[in-house]
Amino acid sequence: MSILTLNRLTLAGLAREKDAVLERLQTLGCLHLLPLGPAPAEPERTPPAHAVEAIKALRYLRDLPEKRRQVRTDPAFDIDRTIQTVLDNQQRLRDVSDRRDALRQRLIELEPWGDFELPSPADLAGRKLWFYIVPQRQMPDLAELDLPWQAVHRDHRQSWVVVIHPDEPPRDALPVPRAHTGALSLTEVRRRLESAELEIEEVQAERHALTRWIYLLSSHLAQAEDEARMRFAHSQTLDDESLFLVQGWLAERDTEGVRALTDELGLAMILEPPGPEDAPPTLLENPAPIAAGQDLVGFYQMPAYRAWDPSRVLFFSFTAFFALILSDAGYALVLGALLAAYWRRLGRGDLGRRLRILAAALTGASLGWGILVGSYFGVSPAPESLWGHLKLLDVNDFDSMMKISVGIGVLHLILANAEMAAINRGRASGRAALGWIATLIGGFALWLGSDDGAPVWLAQSGQALTIGGLAGVFLLGSDRRPDSLKAVALRGLDGLAQLVKVTQVFGDVLSYLRLFALGLASASLAITFNDLARQVAADIPGLGLFLALLILLVGHALNLVLSLMSGVVHGLRLNFIEFYNWALAGEGYPFKPFKKAELNE
């Protein structure tokens, strides 16, 4: 559970060796490049860091539902030429489709005017034809028009009117603006439309033929990605006639590998720790069994470099929250069966292997919690059975379940503030975090102590901790030195600003009641479907059994889907909103190494 220490690495070498050095750095795959060259005058011309064109070409070909037989081997295969051919086809299809659509619209506009060709200017003695589409209710207004005009077509809504005049009539001469018919006749538009349709068929046939290269494009995608990253790396260096500089962030653990490279190639090397004004990227490293936690972290917000890594907390807390929301051992067994069926397929990549471990943890925790609350597809086991003896909690015991949910929320926020206090030792935010820990413990103890039969010392201890915690937040929540009356007053205002968060901590703790509420909703819905199926089976002999099975199948499938959605959304929400609010300050950005695509996770 750590954010790896980074150093700023600067390498200098001879300009003629730049390509070889960058290639070796890409093979090492441990440097997050920093731009050294001047800002480009045209940023849009900066080489992309990824093989955007190759990905675009693959997506364009894969969108076709029917594909040609794949070419598996071709010694003469040229990925760059193939990508360009595919992209040219895509652009041609876009252009021809736009032209076809414009011609279709022009055909609709021209049909009421009929099939005609504009006469030459000499035939009209310098006059021109001006076209208007006039609503029928406004046709009487043309009686006052002193220009020659003729209605060439009409329907129940409007008339198509031609005005003859050397110049365009004034805008207020007719009640509607002029229509633009263009110089093409109806016959010519139809001819061009047919030609566009035939061209689209040809382009689509070419696209279909190009789908035979999907396999080779996919297998060579890493090569295209490497070339794109190399071009991008070239744009990040500082060059002069004889030397070049390349700079980036390097994990401390990878220093020896780079040092060996510099010794081998005779490069100059400078290694510097990040300064106070630097904002290095964040590189997370976690043990393989809980590595999925860092995927969850990256999904929402990467912590800043000088913060802490919440991956482990997210892994276990999300697992626990998901189990409490699902609250059914039967549903957990269904998820376990699905996971077992797709276990091998998920293990084909590093990300899949990490996520299947997370899925196994979610399933196992859900099964254990479902056994503890004694729910198996909404059915409770007999008290005298083994499973009945394992039932230690009742999801319908509102008082106990509320205390468990709030207690989990208090522990979660205490952990968040403890990490904040550890990161900000000696600063106001760290001291305030300790005060909030005391307030959380005290408030929870005060609530538990308010029950009948609770020991008196519990409420008294809770009251003392709450008052002490809030006092600590007020008195210690500022970094100002109390060396003047003004500083004391400002320090008091800082303390009051910290105390405003008391409503937030109260609301955040209550947010964890959703664990109980959603778990209860899932269990209640399962019981409802069971009761409904039982009633249908009893009331409708014969067919009722089939209907009951259908209700059970559809009902529990629906409930399982809803529970999964709730478990994922709210399980992550409690981590990303409530927990992050107290645990992390500031946002970082991920470490992106300059490396070969084959090394990608």
Side-chain angles (χ1 to χ4, degrees):
M1 183 177 69
S2 63
I3 296 176
L4 296 186
T5 302
L6 302 180
N7 291 310
R8 186 196 301 272
L9 171 72
T10 305
L11 296 178
L14 298 176
R16 65 174 181 269
E17 298 175 350
K18 175 180 173 180
D19 291 343
V21 172
L22 290 179
E23 186 176 350
R24 293 292 298 276
L25 286 174
Q26 189 178 27
T27 302
L28 278 179
C30 58
L31 191 65
H32 179 104
L33 293 175
L34 290 172
L36 285 180
E42 300 180 6
E44 67 277 4
R45 295 186 179 274
T46 301
H50 298 285
V52 178
E53 291 187 343
I55 296 172
K56 187 189 300 184
L58 263 176
R59 186 181 296 120
Y60 174 66
L61 295 180
R62 285 173 174 167
D63 284 343
L64 275 179
E66 296 183 3
K67 302 173 180 62
R68 295 284 294 272
R69 180 183 179 87
Q70 294 300 297
V71 177
R72 299 284 174 173
T73 57
D74 184 356
F77 178 72
D78 186 336
I79 183 172
D80 294 330
R81 186 179 62 189
T82 304
I83 290 172
Q84 191 57 51
T85 302
V86 173
L87 294 181
D88 288 345
N89 178 273
Q90 183 184 36
Q91 186 61 46
R92 186 181 169 198
L93 178 61
R94 185 180 294 120
D95 294 341
V96 178
S97 297
D98 291 344
R99 187 166 76 250
R100 187 265 315 272
D101 294 340
L103 288 168
R104 281 179 175 175
Q105 183 62 33
R106 178 52 56 90
L107 186 65
I108 294 173
E109 295 171 354
L110 275 180
E111 280 182 338
W113 296 103
D115 192 2
F116 69 94
E117 292 185 4
L118 291 174
S120 65
D123 294 338
L124 291 176
R127 294 175 178 80
K128 297 179 181 179
L129 303 180
W130 308 96
F131 300 87
Y132 296 86
I133 301 176
V134 184
Q136 294 291 3
R137 58 183 176 80
Q138 294 179 313
M139 283 297 293
D141 296 343
L142 299 188
E144 301 177 1
L145 184 64
D146 57 356
L147 302 175
W149 61 273
Q150 176 68 47
V152 297
H153 180 74
R154 60 170 53 89
D155 61 16
H156 66 285
R157 293 194 309 107
Q158 51 199 6
S159 294
W160 282 257
V161 175
V162 179
V163 177
I164 305 174
H165 196 262
D167 301 313
E168 181 178 357
R171 291 189 176 183
D172 57 353
L174 283 91
V176 292
R178 179 168 65 89
H180 297 272
T181 59
L184 300 179
S185 67
L186 191 62
T187 299
E188 179 63 16
V189 171
R190 286 172 176 160
R191 187 191 67 77
R192 294 192 181 190
L193 177 58
E194 183 178 3
S195 176
E197 296 283 7
L198 292 174
E199 190 174 354
I200 286 179
E201 289 185 5
E202 293 175 1
V203 176
Q204 290 284 22
E206 179 185 330
R207 178 187 181 187
H208 187 250
L210 288 171
T211 58
R212 63 163 59 96
W213 303 112
I214 289 178
Y215 176 81
L216 287 178
L217 276 174
S218 302
S219 60
H220 287 73
L221 185 60
Q223 173 189 337
E225 185 78 1
D226 289 344
E227 292 174 357
R229 293 181 184 182
M230 182 62 72
R231 289 192 295 269
F232 177 76
H234 273 272
S235 70
Q236 303 298 294
T237 61
L238 181 63
D239 306 292
D240 67 10
E241 293 181 357
S242 57
L243 297 174
F244 80 94
L245 294 178
V246 60
Q247 190 176 82
W249 293 109
L250 177 71
E252 200 171 70
R253 66 176 183 187
D254 298 321
T255 303
E256 290 306 315
V258 175
R259 197 180 300 277
L261 175 64
T262 59
D263 293 341
E264 178 186 346
L265 299 179
L267 304 174
M269 169 180 168
I270 301 175
L271 207 60
E272 306 168 288
E277 301 301 321
D278 289 328
T282 304
L283 178 58
L284 306 178
E285 184 177 64
N286 288 275
I290 60 167
Q294 70 189 46
D295 295 309
L296 296 177
V297 170
F299 171 75
Y300 180 72
Q301 175 182 314
M302 186 64 67
Y305 172 73
R306 293 178 177 87
W308 64 286
D309 179 11
S311 302
R312 184 169 299 181
V313 176
L314 257 66
F315 183 91
F316 290 109
S317 59
F318 174 57
T319 299
F321 297 162
F322 184 90
L324 266 67
I325 292 172
L326 193 63
S327 288
D328 194 283
Y331 292 162
L333 290 173
V334 172
L335 295 180
L338 292 174
L339 178 60
Y342 288 93
W343 185 264
R344 280 173 163 262
R345 186 176 300 180
L346 288 173
R348 292 176 181 173
D350 290 342
L351 177 61
R353 285 191 288 272
R354 293 196 299 270
L355 292 181
R356 73 180 183 180
I357 293 176
L358 174 62
L362 295 175
T363 302
S366 300
L367 179 61
W369 178 254
I371 292 173
L372 288 178
V373 297
S375 179
Y376 303 83
F377 297 107
V379 178
S380 295
E384 64 276 4
S385 66
L386 171 62
W387 305 112
H389 289 298
L390 293 175
K391 180 181 178 181
L392 304 179
L393 299 168
D394 186 357
V395 75
N396 292 303
D397 183 356
F398 290 7
D399 187 55
S400 297
M401 295 304 296
M402 287 177 65
K403 289 177 180 176
I404 290 174
S405 299
V406 172
I408 289 174
V410 168
L411 288 175
H412 206 214
L413 297 187
I414 285 174
L415 178 58
N417 279 282
E419 293 288 354
M420 182 65 78
I423 291 294
N424 296 281
R425 291 187 297 272
R427 292 195 288 268
S429 54
R431 296 190 295 270
L434 293 175
W436 288 120
I437 290 175
T439 303
L440 285 164
I441 297 173
F444 187 57
L446 189 60
W447 180 48
L448 294 179
S450 64
D451 286 350
D452 294 336
V456 176
W457 63 265
L458 186 60
Q460 292 175 342
S461 300
Q463 187 175 15
L465 279 171
T466 303
I467 295 174
L470 293 175
V473 170
F474 175 73
L475 297 173
L476 304 175
S478 177
D479 284 322
R480 301 177 191 272
R481 295 176 61 86
D483 50 9
S484 66
L485 183 60
K486 180 181 178 181
V488 171
L490 292 175
R491 187 179 176 90
L493 291 177
D494 290 341
L496 288 175
Q498 291 279 3
L499 280 180
V500 170
K501 296 173 70 176
V502 69
T503 56
Q504 181 182 343
V505 73
F506 179 74
D508 285 348
V509 168
L510 291 184
S511 288
Y512 288 81
L513 285 173
R514 72 185 67 235
L515 297 173
F516 157 63
L518 292 169
L520 178 63
S522 174
S524 300
L525 199 56
I527 293 172
T528 300
F529 284 123
N530 292 339
D531 291 341
L532 182 61
R534 191 180 300 112
Q535 292 174 8
V536 169
D539 294 344
I540 307 176
L543 182 61
L545 180 60
F546 170 75
L547 294 176
L549 291 175
L550 187 61
I551 290 172
L552 288 175
L553 181 62
V554 175
H556 284 292
L558 175 63
N559 193 25
L560 177 57
V561 171
L562 293 175
S563 298
L564 286 175
M565 293 173 59
S566 299
V568 172
V569 172
H570 293 282
L572 291 176
R573 177 244 155 84
L574 289 172
N575 282 288
F576 292 151
I577 306 299
E578 280 75 11
F579 180 77
Y580 268 30
N581 277 342
W582 296 93
L584 294 172
E587 182 176 358
Y589 61 100
F591 183 95
K592 295 181 179 179
F594 170 52
K595 63 180 181 178
K596 289 189 176 293
E598 289 85 357
L599 302 178
N600 273 344
E601 295 183 355

